[in-house]
Amino acid sequence: MTCLPEKTDKKLGLLIDLNICVGCHACAVNCKEWNTSGITGPMEDLKPYGDDPSGVWYNRIHSYEFKKPNEADRTVYFPKSCLHCEDAPCVTVCPTGASLKRSEDGIVLVNPDVCIGCKLCSWACPYGAREYDTSGGVMQKCTLCVDKIYDETIPEDRRVPSCVSTCPAGARHFGDFADPNSNVSKLAAENDARDLFPEMETKPINQYLPPKKREQHKSRSLEHKVSNVKDALLKWATLDFTG
Amino acid sequence: MHPALSVIIFTTVSGMGYGLFIWLTANILLGTPLADDDVVIGSVMAFILVATGLVSSTVHLGHPERAWRAFSQWRTSWLSREGIMSIFCFGPMVFIAGQYYFDLGFENFVNLVAVLGLISSVLTIYTTSMIYASLKAIPAWHNNWVILGYQIYALSSGGVAYIVVAGWQHHMIVVYLLIAALIVKIATWINIDRHRGQYTRESALGLTDFGKATPFEPAHSQKNYLQREMGYELAPGRRAIMRWFALGCGFIIPALLLYIGLPAASLILLICFVGMMAERWLFFAEAEHVVRLYYDKDTV
């Protein structure tokens, strides 16, 4: 049903720390690994070794260079997947009910047995979270590894999305944003967590921690620099390199 | 947005079909003397135009055989509402064509059905326009000009079709409608040009306080679905050419030819149709999706 739930019991989502992410793409690779044989797989992978490979990925790792006057440039690696928005526009536009937001945990899913492949949901999403499977004729997206996080045959501490369990840097956190005492809620509250594209009024669940602000380096005084140069010259003049 | 031929044909042809049916039902209600054959031909033509559009729209579906499922989500989805309304409209079209052709003896119901046909046609065009106007992620569509535009282009192009079917008795009204449609189209473009650049990449990233962001390494080596579907870039220079072509063929030339009374209504309709196709092509090609902020656009 494409009516959004008034309230979800949980708000499961990811907290991604841009200060830690090193842009290694391991999360995207493990996502594909798990989900291609998961409930919404296979994930299309056409001509993987050809000139023009194409396919579906639920997670893409962008990178950006930020330039600000009087500051050194900084590079930010930016993993982007479905944000499981509270006001998900992709769900309400769906004409068939294939797109849905679960009332129990807030996960946004596509039912591949009902999807007609009209692609309107991908037009409605401002984040580019949905990709079309040309072979299956249906839309695909991040499931938050719904077939992993509830699997009781997996040890409890490993019941997290694949992108989280594989991140070698520990930049990705998974938890319930509806619970103020959860790991993600605490991290978000302590660290100036950001919504992507707040103007779109989608109320994304996933949050991003911004890169750390740089400490201002105290510029060394001219006097200090002059004494350094003088010391070096004296060393050459006296050919005394012992000090 | 990628200008897919199937959707361009769908919106242009079905818009013209509903416009024609609005003209026909309005004239029945106003008591305009119409030959029975003209009413039949007009209704059948409207039916064929709308049906062609609907069939064309299913071409771009991944699973056309599941299209019936699209009638279920009318509570939230404008696409679903459009599907239901478009099927509903076939009722009055078939009734009016049948009544005038076979003389079924339902004369008393003709006016009632004509009112139903007129209102449901207007509502169907409205639902079509709302599919686009409700998408916040595409600023060129997310405004009232799109809603007004779809109605008036349907009425102007449908009016030209009406002249082909039923003759020239109201041709000056069509001329005025074409001029009004021309003004709406120009106003729409002014609105698009004025609001270009309201969203920034930094805002899309949630990082507005770190200076200006430019893409560094691409996220993938080849174009993906998002870029193929939503990354369409109108070539510089082509915008102006296509805009003039759309204005000329869609509105100006048909209005002039109708005004001077060129006795070739079918030719005028053909010119108008080609112009409306160009207008609809631009509607997609000019619309920039905000997802491009994550890729090639600094602002949208």
Side-chain angles (χ1 to χ4, degrees), chain A residues 1-3 18 25 51-55 60-68 74-78 80 91-97 112-120 122-132 136-139 192 194-201 210-213, chain B residues 1-2 7 60-64 66-67 69-80 131-132 134-138 141 198-226 228-230 284 289-291 293-295:
Chain A
M1 182 51 63
T2 53
C3 295
L18 299 176
H25 292 242
D51 290 340
D52 190 19
S54 76
R60 302 263 190 187
I61 319 306
H62 297 253
S63 67
Y64 301 95
E65 199 170 40
F66 282 81
K67 286 178 191 287
K68 199 173 187 180
R74 75 168 83 218
T75 309
V76 176
Y77 293 99
F78 195 90
K80 183 165 66 63
V91 171
T92 50
V93 298
C94 175
T96 68
D113 297 331
V114 178
C115 175
I116 58 174
C118 72
K119 309 183 187 103
L120 187 58
S122 68
W123 294 9
C125 173
Y127 307 106
R130 292 175 169 237
E131 297 194 13
Y132 185 67
V138 295
M139 196 57 72
D192 181 28
R194 308 288 175 92
D195 279 352
L196 303 195
F197 229 147
E199 298 103 308
M200 289 289 138
E201 296 168 336
K212 287 273 187 297
K213 300 274 182 192
Chain B
M1 301 296 290
H2 170 67
V7 184
H60 90 286
L61 295 182
H63 282 279
R66 297 178 184 168
R69 290 186 183 275
F71 303 124
S72 64
Q73 302 302 312
W74 49 269
R75 268 170 288 198
T76 64
S77 167
W78 283 105
L79 179 54
S80 186
I131 294 172
Y132 302 103
S134 65
L135 299 175
K136 208 173 167 93
I138 305 166
W141 294 350
Q198 60 181 316
Y199 298 115
T200 65
R201 175 177 295 128
E202 293 76 26
S203 177
L205 297 171
L207 302 172
T208 48
D209 46 349
F210 291 87
K212 184 165 167 43
T214 45
F216 181 51
E217 294 166 339
H220 31 89
S221 59
Q222 253 54 37
K223 279 193 173 180
N224 68 349
Y225 163 75
L226 300 171
R228 289 191 295 265
E229 181 80 0
M230 290 167 248
F284 287 94
H289 195 288
V290 295
V291 77
L293 295 170
Y294 296 105
Y295 291 94

Side-chain angles (χ1 to χ4, degrees), chain A residues 88-160:
Chain A
C90 56
V91 171
T92 50
V93 298
C94 175
T96 68
S99 272
L100 54 100
K101 184 170 175 69
R102 296 171 18 135
S103 59
E104 61 267 41
D105 52 18
I107 297 179
V108 175
L109 293 174
V110 177
N111 179 350
D113 297 331
V114 178
C115 175
I116 58 174
C118 72
K119 309 183 187 103
L120 187 58
C121 54
S122 68
W123 294 9
C125 173
Y127 307 106
R130 292 175 169 237
E131 297 194 13
Y132 185 67
D133 170 18
T134 56
S135 320
V138 295
M139 196 57 72
Q140 293 189 320
K141 67 177 292 300
C142 161
T143 66
L144 215 57
C145 288
V146 69
D147 47 357
K148 185 174 181 229
I149 58 176
Y150 292 115
D151 187 345
E152 291 181 1
T153 64
I154 300 174
E156 198 169 351
D157 58 335
R158 290 192 212 160
R159 287 178 213 158
V160 295

Side-chain angles (χ1 to χ4, degrees), chain B:
Chain B
M1 301 296 290
H2 170 67
L5 189 62
S6 61
V7 184
I8 293 171
I9 291 176
F10 159 55
T11 56
T12 314
V13 171
S14 66
M16 187 182 277
Y18 292 121
L20 169 62
F21 197 57
I22 290 170
W23 271 88
L24 210 59
T25 47
N27 276 293
I28 290 171
L29 291 169
L30 292 169
T32 309
L34 286 166
D36 284 5
D37 283 355
D38 290 349
V39 176
V40 173
I41 292 169
S43 299
V44 170
M45 196 167 145
F47 186 99
I48 290 171
L49 286 171
V50 170
T52 308
L54 278 180
V55 170
S56 169
S57 76
T58 60
V59 169
H60 90 286
L61 295 182
H63 282 279
E65 81 285 1
R66 297 178 184 168
W68 59 273
R69 290 186 183 275
F71 303 124
S72 64
Q73 302 302 312
W74 49 269
R75 268 170 288 198
T76 64
S77 167
W78 283 105
L79 179 54
S80 186
R81 289 169 192 163
E82 187 211 33
I84 292 167
M85 284 310 301
S86 63
I87 297 297
F88 181 83
C89 282
F90 285 134
M93 288 176 190
V94 169
F95 176 89
I96 287 174
Q99 167 61 23
Y100 278 81
Y101 190 75
F102 296 109
D103 200 9
L104 299 168
F106 295 119
E107 289 83 4
N108 298 338
F109 294 100
V110 166
N111 277 4
L112 178 70
V113 175
V115 170
L116 266 181
L118 194 150
I119 293 171
S120 54
S121 297
V122 170
L123 284 178
T124 310
I125 299 166
Y126 178 71
T127 54
T128 306
S129 64
M130 280 307 290
I131 294 172
Y132 302 103
S134 65
L135 299 175
K136 208 173 167 93
I138 305 166
W141 294 350
H142 187 60
N143 58 70
N144 291 333
W145 290 106
V146 169
I147 300 169
L148 181 62
Y150 266 77
Q151 292 288 349
I152 202 152
Y153 312 143
L155 280 181
S156 61
S157 62
V160 181
Y162 177 79
I163 291 173
V164 172
V165 172
W168 290 67
Q169 69 266 35
H170 298 307
H171 76 279
M172 279 313 288
I173 299 177
V174 181
V175 172
Y176 296 140
L177 268 173
L178 284 164
I179 293 168
L182 173 80
I183 293 167
V184 169
K185 188 74 253 185
I186 292 171
T188 307
W189 286 334
I190 290 172
N191 183 59
I192 289 177
D193 293 343
R194 189 179 291 165
H195 287 95
R196 200 168 277 134
Q198 60 181 316
Y199 298 115
T200 65
R201 175 177 295 128
E202 293 76 26
S203 177
L205 297 171
L207 302 172
T208 48
D209 46 349
F210 291 87
K212 184 165 167 43
T214 45
F216 181 51
E217 294 166 339
H220 31 89
S221 59
Q222 253 54 37
K223 279 193 173 180
N224 68 349
Y225 163 75
L226 300 171
Q227 288 166 297
R228 289 191 295 265
E229 181 80 0
M230 290 167 248
Y232 190 85
E233 179 71 13
L234 193 58
R238 194 187 266 189
R239 186 194 307 275
I241 294 170
M242 287 303 286
R243 280 185 173 185
W244 279 111
F245 184 80
L247 288 185
C249 292
F251 313 111
I252 298 170
I253 296 171
L256 279 174
L257 294 181
L258 286 178
Y259 182 72
I260 62 171
L262 183 83
S266 301
L267 177 70
I268 301 173
L269 179 63
L270 183 69
I271 294 170
C272 180
F273 176 69
V274 171
M276 291 315 295
M277 289 276 285
E279 182 276 325
R280 213 47 56 89
W281 183 88
L282 268 174
F283 178 75
F284 287 94
E286 276 200 288
E288 290 173 353
H289 195 288
V290 295
V291 77
R292 293 184 65 183
L293 295 170
Y294 296 105
Y295 291 94
D296 59 329
K297 286 271 173 190
D298 293 342
T299 60
V300 165

Side-chain angles (χ1 to χ4, degrees), chain A:
Chain A
M1 182 51 63
T2 53
C3 295
L4 290 167
E6 276 183 29
K7 187 180 162 294
T8 58
D9 301 335
K10 286 182 175 180
K11 293 178 186 176
L12 295 186
L14 303 172
L15 183 109
I16 296 166
D17 192 338
L18 299 176
N19 197 51
I20 294 179
C21 176
V22 295
C24 71
H25 292 242
C27 53
V29 173
N30 202 28
C31 166
K32 189 131 180 166
E33 166 86 35
W34 177 271
N35 284 298
T36 201
S37 50
I39 52 159
T40 57
M43 289 166 78
E44 189 170 68
D45 202 10
L46 302 175
K47 295 186 231 155
Y49 305 107
D51 290 340
D52 190 19
S54 76
V56 173
W57 294 75
Y58 299 167
N59 186 11
R60 302 263 190 187
I61 319 306
H62 297 253
S63 67
Y64 301 95
E65 199 170 40
F66 282 81
K67 286 178 191 287
K68 199 173 187 180
N70 304 323
E71 261 189 39
D73 298 352
R74 75 168 83 218
T75 309
V76 176
Y77 293 99
F78 195 90
K80 183 165 66 63
S81 53
C82 175
L83 308 169
H84 299 278
C85 305
E86 279 184 65
D87 286 341
C90 56
V91 171
T92 50
V93 298
C94 175
T96 68
S99 272
L100 54 100
K101 184 170 175 69
R102 296 171 18 135
S103 59
E104 61 267 41
D105 52 18
I107 297 179
V108 175
L109 293 174
V110 177
N111 179 350
D113 297 331
V114 178
C115 175
I116 58 174
C118 72
K119 309 183 187 103
L120 187 58
C121 54
S122 68
W123 294 9
C125 173
Y127 307 106
R130 292 175 169 237
E131 297 194 13
Y132 185 67
D133 170 18
T134 56
S135 320
V138 295
M139 196 57 72
Q140 293 189 320
K141 67 177 292 300
C142 161
T143 66
L144 215 57
C145 288
V146 69
D147 47 357
K148 185 174 181 229
I149 58 176
Y150 292 115
D151 187 345
E152 291 181 1
T153 64
I154 300 174
E156 198 169 351
D157 58 335
R158 290 192 212 160
R159 287 178 213 158
V160 295
S162 300
C163 56
V164 175
S165 55
T166 203
C167 178
R172 304 175 71 95
H173 306 269
F174 166 70
D176 177 11
F177 284 92
D179 172 7
N181 295 316
S182 69
N183 58 335
V184 286
S185 294
K186 282 183 187 163
L187 273 170
E190 288 160 13
N191 289 289
D192 181 28
R194 308 288 175 92
D195 279 352
L196 303 195
F197 229 147
E199 298 103 308
M200 289 289 138
E201 296 168 336
T202 53
K203 293 196 210 153
I205 303 280
N206 284 13
Q207 303 277 301
Y208 286 74
L209 299 187
K212 287 273 187 297
K213 300 274 182 192
R214 290 216 176 88
E215 286 173 31
Q216 291 295 315
H217 291 292
K218 284 178 193 130
S219 59
R220 287 187 181 140
S221 66
L222 187 62
E223 203 177 315
H224 184 72
K225 283 178 189 164
V226 170
S227 70
N228 268 358
V229 172
K230 203 166 72 185
D231 288 351
L233 284 174
L234 273 172
K235 274 180 189 170
W236 277 101
T238 56
L239 293 176
D240 173 16
F241 296 105
T242 53

